[in-house]
Amino acid sequence: MEELFLPTLHTFANNNIFTGSVGLFRFRVSPNVVMRTPKEVDLEQSSMTCEYWHGLYCYEKSEMEGAREFPMSEQGKADMKAWLESHI
């Protein structure tokens, strides 16, 4: 089985959505960024919402099988990866 990839925390802190897959397992991570100042992200208040589904179709054409919110931190990213891997 191929390894599940998640980008760096910096990707999410820059308000980028990420979609990925392993076989027919698909997932989408959407950041919920809170700014401390106009140029600085408040990581303690920010989070990442992760949703997953199985199938051939894209996010917009699929029914989500699960969703969970994680803190925007290295530990939150590690917990998200473990959570996703438990549903493959």
Side-chain angles (χ1 to χ4, degrees), residues 45-60:
Q45 297 297 316
S46 298
S47 62
M48 303 171 287
T49 301
C50 184
E51 302 171 277
Y52 73 88
W53 70 99
H54 291 83
L56 298 173
Y57 301 111
C58 66
Y59 176 81
E60 292 79 10

Side-chain angles (χ1 to χ4, degrees), residues 2-68:
E2 49 184 301
E3 184 178 342
L4 189 139
F5 171 79
L6 288 173
T8 65
L9 198 59
H10 184 72
T11 299
F12 300 118
N14 280 315
N15 219 16
N16 292 305
I17 292 173
F18 178 78
T19 57
S21 65
V22 175
L24 291 178
F25 178 77
R26 318 254 187 244
F27 63 96
R28 180 180 194 253
V29 183
S30 305
N32 308 303
V33 175
V34 176
M35 300 302 288
R36 181 174 291 145
T37 68
K39 293 185 178 183
E40 182 183 9
V41 174
D42 186 342
L43 291 176
E44 293 177 1
Q45 297 297 316
S46 298
S47 62
M48 303 171 287
T49 301
C50 184
E51 302 171 277
Y52 73 88
W53 70 99
H54 291 83
L56 298 173
Y57 301 111
C58 66
Y59 176 81
E60 292 79 10
K61 301 280 185 187
S62 299
E63 185 175 326
M64 296 303 106
E65 297 173 27
R68 187 168 161 195

